Amino acid sequence: MIAEVIVDITNSTVDKVFDYVALDDTIVGQRVMVPFGRRNIQGFVIALKQFSDLTDDKLKTILYAIDDYPVILPEHIELMHFMVKKYHLRFVDCLRLFIPSELRSDDVKPLIKTYVYVQCNTQEYAKSVRKNAKNIIALCNFLVKGERYLKSELTKKYSQSAVSKLIESGILQIEQVQQNRTPKSYEMSEQKHKLTPMQKRAVDAILNKNDTYLLFGVTGSGKTEVYMSVIENIVNSGKNAIMLVPEISLTPQVLAHFRARFGNNVAILHSGLSVGERFDEWRRVLLGEARIVVGARSAIFAPIQNLGIIIIDEEHETSYISESNPRYNTFDIAKFRSEYNKCSLVLASATPDIDSYQKAIDGEYKLLTLPTRINDKPMPKIQIVDMLSEIRNGNTGMFSSALLYELDKCIKEKHQAMFFINRRGYSSFMRCTNCGYIPKCTDCDVTLVYHKKENKLKCHYCGKRFKALTICPQCKSTAIRNGAIGTEQVVAQLHEMYPQVPIYQMDNDTTRTKNAYQKILSQFGKSKPGILVGTQMIAKGHDFSDVTLVGIIDADQSLYHSDYKSTEKTFELITQMAGRAGRDKAEGKVILQTYAPRHYAYRFIANYDYKSFFDKELSIRKNTMFPPFTTILRLLFSSQSEEIVREITKLCYTNIKHLRDIYLDDFVYLDAMKSPITKIKNKIRYQILMRIKHEHEDEIIQKLYEICDKHTNAKVSMFVEINPQNLS
Ligand code: ADP
Ligand code: ZN
Ligand code: ZN
């Protein structure tokens, strides 16, 4: 037999399938060692066939198999082909996504523990040894026939020599057992609710027919119980499940729920695990020992067979899109796997992505709704506070009088408060603090980003540059401000006001260490009264029953982030944040501080009116021809040499212009420019930006790949990004 092998090597010119003569027991998906050039390297068998086009003298033979089980499933080999074509990736980069990196580098070994098994009655034996062999006698009295003990524990207590003696005498038999390193999680007792009629309707629909569903359920509507109930049914029917959550910070709570309900049947996969934990969890899934995978984005690649359901929680989250090499979109992968396994795919959110909701309207997804909270608890009331009028009334601090009043009440009643500082990305905008004016690009209608070093405003979409603002063109005021308030400032000020109240800070700075999230969240959970101040990390998923106040310090920061999705992201974030309040008996209240109180996004947020927001946003997208009406494509080039990268970009650009001449109706926008961040790690970055309509999208993308393949070379790295979330 001939084996088709992909070699594990980081050199783009050898990204091909090679033929080797297979060994007798070679199987598809196996890792093998093969001779390659003058060395031996690792490879993956992706197919077996009868004949090769190469002549016998050119064919080399596989040296040996590295593992005795296949590490890649047949499904994943097909997935690899799909990804290579769709995203223009290298074969080996896809394969690397499917297995833990530690496996490839052989950095991780199975954890083997040594046990001893007691073969016969040891009390009898104890009578036959010398009276002064105290350790042996004590050990014999302790051991019970037919039991198993960890050897190291016995030697610690009864001495090495005593244990050895019993092994030599054949009383104890050594057994090597592989141990699983299990990630820690919160302890939580199982709570299984009787489904409400609404929850039941959703569960029944999902189980009834294999399809793609959009579960649109307001915050606190009991989506988690829907997921668990669906998964329970699927597992009982003999099939397996994948459940994705957007971020590690969410995993502790969700995970604890799943562990409590499903025990060891759950495996967790995310980047926060230790090397050994990740390897063992992956292996448990591969061997079918764990049948439910809960994890972040990359868990979509879990080697789980016979899938019966894939659920993606908080589907609007950008973390589902991989923005660094290898670039991929989790939904494409989920869709592929659900079709391959003929199972349902559920996307769920309280604030669905505009694109997803459009698909639900078009019938591509089946819409399921949970329009009210569990037990018909009211949504917390959202009060919009105009910070400009606060300034006019002499309050120049960061907290409005309404927020101060509510906070005082909350603390007195021994409830909890969450203060949210919106910080998406690091770029900042300029704003007139007198009238609220914010400069926008004249060509793109997106907020300009202030670049401090050059003291210029730039459009991150078209690259156009503008003078930094000194006088407001609208009201002629010179009260221009840039930059934003940080979590630290807020915490400091709250400390001054309430020195006795525990205040916790949760952001990138305070959550660097392993388990830091869990620690902060569990401490806050116990503090009544208590305040948690944080970035978007605190906005999602958390279910604290005593939070009655949510303060949104400066809602506008993501509103004026420079991309077409910034309003949508603001709507999502603030709705999610508001959803943390009033989840139990006590009523919740949300204070939303803004300099643009009349912005349509806030009006719809305050009324929890997703549908109207969607309609408004969609009409804007239609007028400006942004997604979902078009697809944004970015070709990103980078190189050490500015000359070469400029040259190649120009060459590709010329070719793409020819392509546009053929597809004139499809191109809405095309331009080439330096990237907003001109240099990363000493590599100069250029980009070609496009917006194209959908009709010939796949065709055009394949042609773009061809152009790039033809013109790029080893000195330039090039990536194609489809609807990138970040254009810096
Ligand atoms: P969501 O994810 O939609 O924001 P959760 O799943 O966190 O909502 O549920 C909100 C609260 O309602 C949780 O405290 C949960 O335990 C509770 N809950 C869920 N389903 C039920 C039910 N059928 N009966 C009673 N309480 C429920
Ligand atoms: Zn002004
Ligand atoms: Zn522009």
Side-chain angles (χ1 to χ4, degrees):
M1 288 294 258
I2 304 296
E4 292 187 349
V5 174
I6 287 169
V7 291
D8 193 354
I9 186 170
T10 320
N11 176 347
S12 47
T13 53
V14 290
D15 189 43
K16 285 195 297 223
V17 181
F18 294 95
D19 283 358
Y20 283 90
V21 177
L23 304 176
D24 285 345
D25 53 357
T26 299
I27 32 181
V28 172
Q30 214 167 22
R31 259 194 327 156
V32 290
M33 194 58 87
V34 291
F36 191 81
R38 251 169 270 148
R39 16 178 218 147
N40 297 333
I41 55 178
Q42 259 185 49
F44 301 90
V45 177
I46 62 155
L48 289 170
K49 58 187 179 187
Q50 217 62 42
F51 304 105
S52 171
D53 294 340
L54 295 176
T55 51
D56 283 358
D57 59 317
K58 291 255 169 59
L59 275 172
K60 293 181 187 167
T61 304
I62 289 176
L63 297 170
Y64 58 89
I66 298 174
D67 321 280
D68 46 14
Y69 54 95
V71 295
I72 308 233
L73 303 175
E75 177 182 351
H76 286 61
I77 293 174
E78 288 196 28
L79 178 59
M80 171 192 76
H81 288 297
F82 166 79
M83 291 176 73
V84 165
K85 177 150 196 285
K86 186 163 178 78
Y87 305 125
H88 197 239
L89 295 175
R90 301 189 319 130
F91 288 115
V92 70
D93 285 335
C94 294
L95 292 176
R96 285 176 181 179
L97 280 172
F98 303 160
I99 59 176
S101 55
E102 303 81 24
L103 182 72
R104 283 177 39 239
S105 52
D106 282 323
D107 279 350
V108 66
K109 296 276 174 287
L111 176 66
I112 307 283
K113 290 226 167 137
T114 308
Y115 285 79
V116 289
Y117 176 75
V118 189
Q119 311 233 58
C120 48
N121 190 326
T122 48
Q123 263 88 12
E124 288 301 309
Y125 179 79
K127 289 176 193 153
S128 70
V129 299
R130 280 177 293 120
K131 289 278 168 297
N132 60 353
K134 292 227 168 62
N135 275 331
I136 296 183
I137 293 168
L139 175 58
C140 284
N141 286 332
F142 168 77
L143 296 172
V144 177
K145 186 182 169 190
E147 292 287 317
R148 225 173 236 98
Y149 302 88
L150 201 56
K151 180 167 172 257
S152 57
E153 273 173 19
L154 295 183
T155 53
K156 209 165 17 175
K157 246 178 163 162
Y158 301 100
S159 86
Q160 179 74 44
S161 63
V163 176
S164 301
K165 179 80 187 143
L166 293 197
I167 293 170
E168 278 162 34
S169 326
I171 289 168
L172 292 177
Q173 187 189 342
I174 291 192
E175 286 179 359
Q176 308 272 6
V177 180
Q178 185 182 335
Q179 298 279 299
N180 285 319
R181 285 154 286 207
T182 315
K184 274 202 197 61
S185 77
Y186 280 168
E187 285 296 314
M188 195 186 270
S189 51
E190 182 183 347
Q191 350 168 289
K192 188 167 165 178
H193 301 290
K194 187 173 180 303
L195 295 182
T196 62
M198 264 190 325
Q199 284 173 320
K200 188 161 186 326
R201 224 179 31 216
V203 171
D204 289 347
I206 294 166
L207 293 173
N208 187 36
K209 186 163 178 283
N210 288 337
D211 214 327
T212 303
Y213 295 94
L214 177 64
L215 176 63
F216 173 26
V218 298
T219 55
S221 59
K223 293 189 285 295
T224 314
E225 191 61 45
V226 171
Y227 309 150
M228 289 202 286
S229 179
V230 167
I231 290 175
E232 190 163 30
N233 274 283
I234 293 288
V235 170
N236 287 342
S237 76
K239 297 199 167 181
N240 305 326
I242 293 181
M243 156 94 202
L244 299 184
V245 291
E247 267 171 78
I248 317 290
S249 66
L250 281 181
T251 339
Q253 270 179 333
V254 177
L255 193 70
H257 277 299
F258 272 76
R259 272 275 175 77
R261 174 88 58 101
F262 302 108
N264 260 339
N265 236 337
V266 179
I268 314 150
L269 292 173
H270 63 71
S271 55
L273 304 179
S274 74
V275 168
E277 285 168 351
R278 191 161 52 215
F279 175 73
D280 287 354
E281 289 292 83
W282 176 84
R283 203 164 162 279
R284 280 200 320 126
V285 175
L286 184 72
L287 301 180
E289 287 169 21
R291 296 178 44 205
I292 302 165
V293 170
V294 180
R297 176 176 75 210
S298 60
I300 193 62
F301 299 114
I304 198 163
Q305 307 193 50
N306 195 15
L307 271 175
I309 186 83
I310 302 174
I311 297 174
I312 304 184
D313 189 24
E314 316 273 2
E315 63 90 33
H316 58 274
E317 285 288 329
T318 52
S319 62
Y320 287 121
I321 295 164
S322 162
E323 300 259 76
S324 56
N325 192 38
R327 292 166 160 78
Y328 65 89
N329 185 330
T330 309
F331 300 103
D332 296 336
I333 314 296
K335 189 93 184 127
F336 177 94
R337 295 200 73 179
S338 70
E339 279 167 10
Y340 184 97
N341 289 281
K342 300 191 179 54
C343 73
S344 282
L345 167 62
V346 178
L347 313 177
S349 176
T351 50
D353 190 85
I354 295 278
D355 192 40
S356 305
Y357 199 76
Q358 180 62 38
K359 287 200 168 92
I361 288 176
D362 292 342
E364 197 177 327
Y365 298 165
K366 296 280 170 308
L367 186 63
L368 301 169
T369 50
L370 300 172
T372 55
R373 285 188 155 182
I374 289 289
N375 297 332
D376 284 323
K377 249 164 272 159
M379 300 301 290
K381 194 170 169 353
I382 300 179
Q383 183 183 341
I384 298 175
V385 175
D386 178 359
M387 291 306 275
L388 289 171
S389 96
E390 289 285 317
I391 295 175
R392 274 184 236 116
N393 292 334
N395 176 9
T396 53
M398 59 176 106
F399 305 132
S400 61
S401 42
L403 185 56
L404 292 172
Y405 172 81
E406 293 293 340
L407 179 61
D408 212 54
K409 191 163 147 237
C410 170
I411 302 273
K412 284 204 179 104
E413 290 168 357
K414 297 210 181 327
H415 288 307
Q416 296 171 313
M418 287 169 103
F419 275 32
F420 173 55
I421 318 292
N422 196 343
R423 253 207 170 296
R424 196 163 82 86
Y426 296 100
S427 45
S428 59
F429 55 94
M430 296 189 110
R431 170 163 60 196
C432 167
T433 56
N434 185 44
C435 74
Y437 170 83
I438 287 176
K440 285 186 165 188
C441 176
T442 47
D443 293 351
C444 308
D445 198 35
V446 296
T447 306
L448 295 171
V449 176
Y450 179 57
H451 287 243
K452 202 167 176 189
K453 239 171 71 196
E454 302 150 80
N455 192 29
K456 281 261 172 349
L457 291 163
K458 284 193 199 169
C459 172
H460 279 194
Y461 270 81
C462 68
K464 217 167 171 165
R465 298 149 71 92
F466 300 83
K467 271 213 306 251
L469 210 59
T470 46
I471 293 181
C472 172
Q474 203 164 272
C475 74
K476 309 290 174 231
S477 158
T478 52
I480 309 291
R481 224 175 52 190
N482 67 58
I485 317 168
T487 34
E488 234 177 81
Q489 273 168 283
V490 174
V491 169
Q493 190 135 358
L494 287 170
H495 258 307
E496 233 165 76
M497 288 156 49
Y498 297 101
Q500 316 296 346
V501 175
I503 299 168
Y504 303 94
Q505 179 182 340
M506 192 153 138
D507 52 30
N508 281 331
D509 297 329
T510 60
T511 51
R512 290 220 181 95
T513 56
K514 202 184 168 192
N515 299 331
Y517 287 104
Q518 278 193 43
K519 222 163 128 196
I520 297 173
L521 291 175
S522 80
Q523 282 175 342
F524 170 65
K526 286 180 238 153
S527 307
K528 291 163 196 178
I531 309 174
L532 178 64
V533 179
T535 55
Q536 26 274 51
M537 278 177 201
I538 68 169
K540 306 147 198 168
H542 307 297
D543 191 25
F544 293 109
S545 54
D546 275 308
V547 172
T548 55
L549 175 65
V550 163
I552 293 160
I553 304 305
D554 183 350
D556 309 342
Q557 280 182 36
S558 80
L559 196 58
Y560 299 119
H561 198 269
S562 73
D563 69 61
Y564 75 95
K565 276 196 145 187
S566 48
T567 321
E568 182 183 352
K569 288 290 150 209
T570 306
F571 185 92
E572 275 167 22
L573 261 172
I574 294 178
T575 306
Q576 296 283 345
M577 193 61 229
R580 299 314 112 209
R583 291 171 77 88
D584 206 20
K585 282 161 210 89
E587 212 177 298
K589 172 113 197 195
V590 180
I591 302 286
L592 188 160
Q593 302 190 154
T594 169
Y595 292 87
R598 271 165 296 280
H599 195 289
Y600 66 89
Y602 297 142
R603 210 170 62 230
F604 295 131
I605 287 170
N607 295 326
Y608 293 97
D609 189 356
Y610 175 85
K611 189 62 185 43
S612 301
F613 172 75
F614 171 84
D615 290 339
K616 168 86 184 171
E617 192 61 23
L618 201 72
S619 79
I620 294 174
R621 302 278 180 91
K622 192 167 188 179
N623 288 334
T624 50
M625 286 307 273
F626 271 96
F629 297 95
T630 54
T631 295
I632 299 178
L633 297 172
R634 171 163 83 154
L635 308 190
L636 187 64
F637 302 84
S638 64
S639 168
Q640 302 269 6
S641 151
E642 167 130 30
E643 203 183 315
I644 293 175
V645 69
R646 201 187 317 119
E647 188 67 21
I648 301 281
T649 309
K650 220 167 126 189
L651 202 62
C652 289
Y653 184 50
T654 310
N655 277 278
I656 295 171
K657 277 198 283 194
H658 293 317
L659 185 67
R660 181 188 54 186
D661 293 340
I662 303 169
Y663 292 95
L664 209 50
D665 280 346
D666 296 272
F667 275 79
V668 173
Y669 175 88
L670 168 65
D671 208 354
M673 69 205 73
K674 271 191 177 181
S675 297
I677 299 179
T678 52
K679 196 157 87 171
I680 292 182
K681 290 186 185 142
N682 261 325
K683 285 190 163 174
I684 316 291
R685 294 151 48 94
Y686 274 69
Q687 64 187 25
I688 300 175
L689 267 187
M690 282 159 269
R691 266 181 283 143
I692 56 171
K693 293 186 198 157
H694 297 309
E695 200 187 339
H696 304 108
E697 178 182 322
D698 290 345
E699 234 170 281
I700 293 173
I701 291 175
Q702 291 304 324
K703 296 236 158 77
L704 288 174
Y705 291 157
E706 282 166 28
I707 291 174
C708 294
D709 279 343
K710 209 162 129 202
H711 298 291
T712 48
N713 59 38
K715 289 193 183 124
V716 178
S717 51
M718 194 278 308
F719 293 110
V720 180
E721 295 177 318
I722 303 171
N723 280 335
Q725 301 292 311
N726 177 356
L727 282 174
S728 53

